[in-house]
Each structure stands twice: as C-alpha cells, then as structure tokens.
Amino acid sequence: MYRFKTLILLILICVLTACSSDDNNNTQNIDNRESSCINAVGYTGLYWDFANARPTGLSQVPIIQNPGQQFIHSLQPLLGFTIPQGFTAFELTDPQTQTIGVNVFRNDNEVLFRWVPLSSVIGQQIPSQNFIANEIDTMFNFYNFNGTPEVLCSEFKQQVFATIPMEFNARLLRFDGRIAQVWVITTYAASSTYITVSVVTAPEAEYDAQVANTFLPINYQLYVNESGGIVDNDMDGFDILRDPDDNDPNVP
C-alpha cells in the first residue's frame, strides 16, 4: 500500500506545488488574473491552474487567517492540517478499499473541501471518467441539484510514469448558484486502480474568497512548507512525497 500511496503523491507534486520559481516575480493582481480556463478569472481561475500544474502567480504561501481546530487522520498522521474557524473535518476511512481521506464542511454545509489521497479498486482497471462522474453525482445529490451544470472547463490527460499508466480528469462547474472544482487521478498497477480525489465547492459569490482563505491554505499545509519547498516532517532529507514514513527519521 505504501508503494502505491507514495507513487500517487509523487505524481501530485506537479498539482500541489504548481507555483513555479517564476511566480515570485509575478505581481499581477489576482482579482483580474486570467487563467488557462477561458471562463474563469481571479482566484477561480488560479485554483484551476493550480490543479493543472500551471504557475499561479502567488508570491506568498497562503495561510489560514482564522485558524480553528487541527485535524489529524487517526490512521495516517501525515494527513493533518489546521482548518478555519466555523469548519468541521470528518475523517474518511474504509479498510476494504484502502480509503484514507477527509471531508471538511463549513458548519452551514455551504462550503466543502474534500481530499482523498488514496482509495483503490483491487483486481479491476476502471477509467477515471467513472470516478469523476460518481464524485460529481454525489455532490449534486448532497446539494439537491438535479439539473444540468454549466461546464466552465474540463481537462483530461493520460501519461505513463515509470511504466505505470495514469489519468488526470478535471471539471470546473457552475450549478445552482455554486462553483465546484472536481478532479481525480487514477493510477493503474497490478491489475488494480488507485484513485486520488479532490472536490471543492462554495456559493459563487464567495468562491474566490474560499479559494484564497480555505482551499489553497489547506493544500499548502499538506505538502508545501513556508519556503515553498515540499514538507519533510522528520527532517531526514526525504520529503513527504518520497518518504514511506515521514514521521520516522530512520525510514527510509
């Protein structure tokens, strides 16, 4: 399990550290910033670029402005971060599918940050489209939406990493006065499918603010340190994306 989890996190380095070294020299106004999604500007477009491993223009590491509780997953301490006040984190665990994750809801349920770094379907290779469709349908059901969303942008990529095929599938949606960004990464190995999932949504009027104050700061807590590098919790020279146990300096 560690082998596949580490592989998935290694691929996510391009997603979660999309701020390039050139970003520090970019002083454009984020509010008017254009993006690779022609239908999204400002922080909405920035977060789309962030998910698609494009430079964001951020010159500082985003931080939680009103820190609240600390969430730490009971089975995977590396999955831990501070959430804003007024939010609650719900741990996700399923031994049968090796699922490790968390749903973070604002207490009125209007804002959601969902992060599942690992889940799996053993013995089957399933297209990423199946998983992203399921995530979108689940979100629509939660918000009692049964119409047709506006697809602001979509992305689908296939690549082979160290002989292992992977797919990246993403959607930026508008529905019922809301904006949502959903993406999945599927990795195919040993005749099985390993899945990583990210879902965020908020009312359209405050989506940019939630990207700036909630979604980006949580992502950066997970994998990016204050200097813009990748977190190395046990200071053994192997960052969280390469270390099977980043709480133990004797491993690897």
Side-chain angles (χ1 to χ4, degrees):
M1 175 176 165
Y2 272 132
R3 181 161 61 95
F4 294 114
K5 183 173 81 70
T6 304
L7 174 61
I8 291 171
L9 292 179
L10 183 60
I11 303 308
L12 286 176
I13 188 172
C14 67
V15 175
L16 298 175
T17 62
C19 294
S20 71
S21 58
D22 294 335
D23 288 346
N24 291 331
N25 298 321
N26 192 333
T27 58
Q28 67 179 351
N29 186 337
I30 297 300
D31 291 340
N32 299 315
R33 176 189 182 278
E34 296 183 351
S35 74
S36 60
C37 176
I38 62 173
N39 295 313
V41 297
Y43 276 98
T44 301
L46 183 152
Y47 200 59
W48 175 257
D49 284 347
F50 180 75
N52 283 272
R54 297 177 181 272
T56 62
L58 293 173
S59 59
Q60 296 179 335
V61 173
I63 61 173
I64 300 290
Q65 299 296 324
N66 57 335
Q69 296 180 339
Q70 176 79 15
F71 167 78
I72 299 177
H73 197 283
S74 63
L75 298 182
Q76 181 49 270
L78 297 181
L79 178 50
F81 49 85
T82 299
I83 63 177
Q85 294 178 24
F87 285 73
T88 303
F90 299 89
E91 178 177 304
L92 304 175
T93 304
D94 186 343
Q96 290 187 334
T97 59
Q98 301 180 338
T99 297
I100 298 291
V102 59
N103 287 337
V104 180
F105 283 98
R106 195 169 68 185
N107 292 344
D108 61 2
N109 289 334
E110 288 299 304
V111 178
L112 165 66
F113 176 94
R114 171 174 168 83
W115 173 236
V116 182
L118 180 64
S119 187
S120 64
V121 179
I122 304 302
Q124 298 182 58
Q125 294 194 349
I126 301 174
S128 60
Q129 179 60 34
N130 292 39
F131 297 107
I132 195 169
N134 181 68
E135 290 292 331
I136 291 171
D137 287 345
T138 299
M139 176 179 63
F140 286 169
N141 289 336
F142 182 82
Y143 287 106
N144 297 313
F145 176 74
N146 57 11
T148 301
E150 179 183 358
V151 180
L152 300 176
C153 269
S154 64
E155 186 67 48
F156 176 74
K157 300 175 184 177
Q158 293 176 307
Q159 61 178 317
V160 177
F161 184 84
T163 75
I164 297 178
M166 290 175 295
E167 294 181 355
F168 173 80
N169 211 326
R171 302 286 185 278
L172 184 62
L173 306 172
R174 177 186 285 124
F175 70 99
D176 199 24
R178 309 184 65 80
I179 298 292
Q181 179 172 289
V182 183
W183 59 257
V184 301
I185 292 176
T186 48
T187 304
Y188 305 106
S191 299
S192 301
T193 305
Y194 297 85
I195 311 106
T196 299
V197 174
S198 170
V199 180
V200 299
T201 186
E204 184 171 7
E206 57 178 301
Y207 183 82
D208 273 21
Q210 292 301 325
V211 169
N213 299 321
T214 304
F215 306 152
L216 280 172
I218 291 177
N219 275 302
Y220 272 74
Q221 286 182 77
L222 286 168
Y223 297 107
V224 183
N225 60 30
E226 292 182 357
S227 63
I230 309 303
V231 169
D232 178 8
N233 289 311
D234 56 17
M235 302 298 290
D236 63 356
F238 293 87
D239 62 49
I240 190 172
L241 302 178
R242 297 179 297 155
D243 195 333
D245 188 348
D246 203 38
N247 289 325
D248 185 348
N250 298 313
V251 179

